[in-house]
Amino acid sequence: MSVPSARIVVIGLGNVFRRDDGLGPAVVTRLERRAGRGSLPAGVRFVCCDGEPGRLIDLWQGAGLAVVVDAARARPCRPGRVHRLEPDECPGRRVGAASGHGLGLADAVELARALGRMPDRLVVYAVEGADGGPGRGLSPAVAAAVEPLAQRVEEEITQQLCRTAARTSGSALRRPARCWR
């Protein structure tokens, strides 16, 4: 039995020059600011990526938790609606198949599984976008989703750290609200 990793990485997928496709980098930027103010533990890695499968696998390999944030297309579209997926909970579903990237998250998950290079736990947040055309700046509905989504990702990180602390201490009975402090 392998020992779970304590390493956490948050990956913002997208391109800031394609309007709502810049959602992932916007959330990562928000989380980096929070980390700089001390509201997140040191050691969490924040990174932006274009979604190329090899880069994604390299970024999340060996992580205890990898959180991926991406813009998505859906029919019918409700811009700003957030979807939370854990590929291990839905193994037959192609996670991220509705992403704006030709090859990307779904391909990276399938390849990483085949190669045994998945993180211990992968959480995907996909936010429905309204405009993927050229230009900078998020549409109003997607921009409104950035702060609440950053809060949700921060909660994912805190929960992961609490789980890791409980495993390490051998008891899940006493969990401080912020286990990492």
Side-chain angles (χ1 to χ4, degrees), residues 51-68:
E52 192 277 321
R55 280 191 281 281
L56 275 171
I57 292 169
D58 285 344
L59 290 170
W60 72 39
Q61 182 178 353
L65 171 65
V67 178
V68 176

Side-chain angles (χ1 to χ4, degrees), residues 15-81:
N15 180 341
V16 296
F17 299 107
R18 301 269 328 262
R19 306 271 301 148
D20 287 345
D21 194 42
L23 168 85
V27 172
V28 163
T29 298
R30 184 72 49 100
L31 288 165
E32 287 174 325
R33 281 191 214 131
R34 287 172 176 242
R37 292 191 305 260
S39 66
L40 285 166
V44 175
R45 185 171 177 213
F46 302 99
V47 64
C48 294
C49 178
D50 61 4
E52 192 277 321
R55 280 191 281 281
L56 275 171
I57 292 169
D58 285 344
L59 290 170
W60 72 39
Q61 182 178 353
L65 171 65
V67 178
V68 176
V69 180
D70 195 10
R73 292 180 295 215
R75 299 283 183 253
C77 182
R78 284 189 26 215
R81 180 171 49 177

